[in-house]
Amino acid sequence: MTTQEHDDPGDASTPTRPGPRVLVVGAGIAGLAVVRALRGWGARIEVVEREAAPHGVGAGIFLPGNAVRALRALALEDTVAERAVRIERQRIADHRGRVLYELDTSSLWPDDVPTLATSRATVHAALLDDLGDAVVRWGTSPVTVVRDGPGVDVTFTDGTSGRYDLVIGADGAHSAVRRLVFGDVGLRATGVQAWRLVMPRRSTEPVWSVRLGRGASFLTIPVGEDLAYCYLDVNIAGGGPGTTLAEVAARFDDGVREVTAAAVVKHTGPIEEVSLGYWSRGRVLLVGDAAHATPPSLAQGAAMAMEDALVLGELLRAAPSIPTALRAYELRRRPRVDRVQQQTRQRDRTRGLHPAARNLLLRAAGPRLFRANYRGLGVGA
């Protein structure tokens, strides 16, 4: 069935054909962005989410310029910006806090696109605020996903079932849709353990600041008037030492140890990535982290998810059929996503150099390397 067939309004004597029935699995940033981006297509959208309810405050989120552009296209920039901190500089230092280089964010992203930091819950709430006719069924996830010609049959943990024209897996790195349709493939451990923390904001500087230690990094970002987000990670590949928060913090100076001791840990776990040869099978499509989860070095998880949603919405509205749109989607998105994953790995390799060599390199060429990592995403020259 083609998009035109679904969208044909008919005439006064002919009942309007129902729009395509779409299931979005996952009510995080990726899934809710898809719901918003599909407005105007005429679809009947259902959303299921395995969590029982929306998360609370959550940890922080850093939104580079291309993420803010995506929020702008989703008509959410102002809503998020009202509760965000506009980050003016990004500062990279060694484990003792000695600056290796610093960048003015206004020089990175042209066209007056700000760089923002806020709580993840702020972005999620903005997306959740206006879902149109879509309704989220919380505490529900798919049990089976069976592709059957022009449709997809799905059964759920709550005992219900349905048949859909399109199923979109937006359910994160540990995607149930990916496992059920693509098999146990794609997910890979990176050998990095991370802690995400929040604490009272101690500085009024609107600065994203990271310290690089031996096999570890410590990031702080103001995400509200009184709140800061901290991220600490360590390379544990090969079973090396330093796998507790206190042990990793001890690789830095007393200030980092003091901060981590007082902060509230929101999440800890291994950093993983997802890499697949294709993102769709029949009328089942993976988006966001379900398709291409990436370590947070470039802060591109939310940006890529929202861009996925926008491109998908554009192509579904324009293409003659859903399968045609899905093929065009992958051809268009793959080069950009692949580059983000490649540049993330490159940045992580640089961080993993011996501290003396890494610090020398970053002092000499840090800004140039930084811009190279983001090239192609809209960074200025």
Side-chain angles (χ1 to χ4, degrees), residues 28-37 61-77 80 120 123-124 126-127 287-289 292 299-314 329 333 336:
I29 290 175
L32 298 180
V34 165
V35 173
R36 197 171 185 91
I61 186 169
F62 179 61
L63 300 166
N66 64 313
V68 177
R69 281 201 187 97
L71 284 171
R72 184 176 295 175
L74 291 167
L76 290 174
E77 179 186 0
V80 172
R120 183 168 288 271
V123 179
H124 191 249
L127 286 161
V287 300
D289 282 354
H292 46 70
Q300 285 296 306
M304 291 296 103
M306 291 187 289
E307 288 183 5
D308 284 353
L310 288 163
V311 171
L312 180 61
E314 175 190 333
Y329 169 85
R333 288 297 293 157
R336 189 170 175 90

Side-chain angles (χ1 to χ4, degrees), residues 31-54:
L32 298 180
V34 165
V35 173
R36 197 171 185 91
L38 292 188
R39 289 177 175 179
W41 184 38
R44 297 168 293 157
I45 302 175
E46 299 175 34
V47 185
V48 295
E49 166 55 51
R50 59 179 170 242
E51 298 291 339

